[in-house]
Amino acid sequence: MTPPAAPPSPSAEVRLDELGELIAGLPGLLGFPPVDSLVVVTFTTTPDRCWLGPTVRVDLPEPGGRPDLVEQLCGAFAQNQVVAATPVIVGGGGADPPRLPHRGLMRLLTHELSAMGIRLVHSAWVPTIEHGATWWCYEDGECTGQVHDPRSSALAAVAALDGTVTYGSRAEMVDLLSPDQEDRVAHRAQLLSALTGAPLREGELHQEMLATIDAFTAQDNQPELDDERIVRLTVALGHGRVRDTCLTLSITDRASAAERLWTVLTRAVPAPERAEPAFLLALCAYLRGSAVLAGMSLEVALDADPSHPLASLLRDALDRGTPPAEVRRMVAASVEQAQSRRRPEG
């Protein structure tokens, strides 16, 4: 299951006049065009208006797996106070409208949504998310329309404004985290081993980490890091004070710069050390709404270090559909507790 993606920034008001525009915006919301998927766009409310809520994508299940999947989805919706939803099935077989594929899955989901008091705005099937593709409604066989241009959809524009990159496929996102060339990573592992027990001062490592993140602030001018600096930054992440600072950065206006550095280090660092930047990348990605990238980064982190405690906690939070705002509060509380433990008494 792709964890819930956070909605576009509340400061950006998006008006969706028809389903073709909403479907066209799904790649921007998820970060890639879904294929053979169930996607559920949700809505929440405030006293004065209705907001676009979390968007969830799952692979289409086998018939026997439908009940468990729907239960998991509804649990995420309950966590996020969803009041309305639009489920869309993308692909998963051909159709002879109004006979649409996966009707049993859609029937089960809409029944459970109704039982939770969540209003069904629409339910649709579309073969692919491309400009001009025809979508069909499950509820009304005569209700149909065309997908708008995904490249110019309102949701894609808002996602881009928030810093979300839309990839051509999920595989392209996976490539983002692929390790550097094997010999380069092996060389850094040797350098790390040589630094074991070396007298590196935490204060100096802390300052180098902050300076490097500052250098990543300009999106169009990413600095090149040599192997020695990559290794020092990796060592720095092993120090408690530096880890606390890096956690804090995820909830500040320097989060984007930090995320770019964590991406570089996730590719550059050998296991098990790469678990730390991969976890930090997952945290930054989830807090800004890219749940897909967050999930992939957590897979890397837990593969490198299955016992990484914070990565395991974040994985559980994503699986439960915990709202990013709640994760943000958890991060702030965790950093405060860690700093209090290290604060000298007196």
Side-chain angles (χ1 to χ4, degrees), residues 196-281:
T196 301
L200 297 176
R201 296 181 179 178
E202 183 181 57
E204 294 176 357
L205 293 172
H206 187 262
Q207 290 302 315
E208 183 167 14
M209 179 66 73
L210 292 177
T212 305
I213 290 172
D214 286 341
F216 275 76
T217 300
Q219 295 190 36
D220 57 349
N221 187 29
Q222 182 168 297
E224 291 288 337
L225 303 182
D226 59 32
D227 289 346
E228 287 72 18
R229 191 169 193 181
I230 288 172
V231 168
R232 288 196 303 274
L233 294 173
T234 302
V235 172
L237 288 174
H239 289 261
R241 178 187 172 196
V242 179
R243 284 199 304 269
D244 288 350
T245 296
C246 293
L247 279 172
T248 304
L249 288 172
S250 68
I251 54 176
T252 69
D253 57 5
R254 300 165 80 182
S256 294
E259 183 177 333
R260 286 190 284 277
L261 175 58
W262 308 146
T263 302
V264 171
L265 293 181
T266 297
R267 296 176 59 101
V269 174
E273 288 83 3
R274 75 187 303 230
E276 195 64 38
F279 158 71
L280 291 167
L281 172 59

Side-chain angles (χ1 to χ4, degrees), residues 94-114:
D96 182 18
R99 293 188 293 274
L100 303 178
H102 301 281
R103 186 173 290 275
L105 171 61
M106 188 62 76
R107 185 182 301 113
L108 178 60
L109 176 60
T110 55
H111 177 270
E112 292 302 317
L113 291 175
S114 176

Side-chain angles (χ1 to χ4, degrees), residues 4-342:
S9 168
S11 62
E13 184 172 329
V14 181
R15 296 187 181 275
L16 300 172
D17 296 328
E18 59 179 283
L19 187 57
E21 174 68 12
L22 179 63
I23 294 174
L26 295 182
L29 287 174
L30 295 171
F32 64 95
V35 176
D36 295 335
S37 302
L38 167 64
V39 182
V40 185
V41 182
T42 69
F43 302 87
T44 59
T45 59
T46 57
D48 59 339
R49 68 183 66 189
C50 180
W51 294 104
L52 188 66
T55 300
V56 181
R57 187 213 70 88
V58 294
D59 293 334
L60 290 170
E62 296 295 329
R66 290 171 181 170
D68 288 343
L69 174 62
V70 170
E71 180 181 0
Q72 186 177 9
L73 288 173
C74 290
F77 300 154
Q79 285 266 354
N80 288 271
Q81 300 179 324
V82 170
V83 298
T86 297
V88 178
I89 289 180
V90 183
D96 182 18
R99 293 188 293 274
L100 303 178
H102 301 281
R103 186 173 290 275
L105 171 61
M106 188 62 76
R107 185 182 301 113
L108 178 60
L109 176 60
T110 55
H111 177 270
E112 292 302 317
L113 291 175
S114 176
M116 294 177 65
I118 297 175
R119 184 169 67 89
L120 183 68
V121 179
H122 228 308
S123 61
W125 174 83
V126 65
T128 183
I129 300 181
E130 296 179 356
H131 187 200
T134 300
W135 58 262
W136 296 86
C137 180
Y138 279 94
E139 302 297 318
D140 182 353
E142 296 184 358
C143 178
T144 184
Q146 277 68 51
V147 177
H148 293 192
D149 188 349
R151 296 169 299 179
S152 59
S153 75
L155 290 175
V158 172
L161 186 64
D162 283 349
T164 300
V165 177
T166 301
Y167 296 86
S169 67
R170 193 176 189 278
E172 286 188 16
M173 293 190 74
V174 173
D175 288 343
L176 178 71
L177 303 180
S178 297
D180 289 344
Q181 293 181 354
E182 186 175 349
D183 58 340
R184 296 288 303 278
V185 176
H187 175 61
R188 293 164 192 152
Q190 292 176 345
L191 293 177
L192 275 170
S193 179
L195 277 179
T196 301
L200 297 176
R201 296 181 179 178
E202 183 181 57
E204 294 176 357
L205 293 172
H206 187 262
Q207 290 302 315
E208 183 167 14
M209 179 66 73
L210 292 177
T212 305
I213 290 172
D214 286 341
F216 275 76
T217 300
Q219 295 190 36
D220 57 349
N221 187 29
Q222 182 168 297
E224 291 288 337
L225 303 182
D226 59 32
D227 289 346
E228 287 72 18
R229 191 169 193 181
I230 288 172
V231 168
R232 288 196 303 274
L233 294 173
T234 302
V235 172
L237 288 174
H239 289 261
R241 178 187 172 196
V242 179
R243 284 199 304 269
D244 288 350
T245 296
C246 293
L247 279 172
T248 304
L249 288 172
S250 68
I251 54 176
T252 69
D253 57 5
R254 300 165 80 182
S256 294
E259 183 177 333
R260 286 190 284 277
L261 175 58
W262 308 146
T263 302
V264 171
L265 293 181
T266 297
R267 296 176 59 101
V269 174
E273 288 83 3
R274 75 187 303 230
E276 195 64 38
F279 158 71
L280 291 167
L281 172 59
L283 180 62
C284 287
Y286 191 62
L287 291 181
R288 69 169 172 80
S290 183
V292 179
L293 178 57
M296 292 178 180
S297 302
L298 284 175
E299 289 180 11
V300 172
L302 292 171
D303 181 63
D305 180 6
S307 63
H308 193 290
L310 293 180
S312 297
L313 286 173
L314 185 57
R315 177 74 268 173
D316 290 343
L318 266 66
D319 288 343
R320 292 194 305 270
T322 305
E326 184 174 335
V327 174
R328 185 180 294 270
R329 289 192 293 270
M330 291 165 57
V331 170
S334 175
V335 171
E336 175 60 28
Q337 291 173 4
Q339 291 175 341
S340 296
R341 286 194 297 269
R342 282 196 293 275

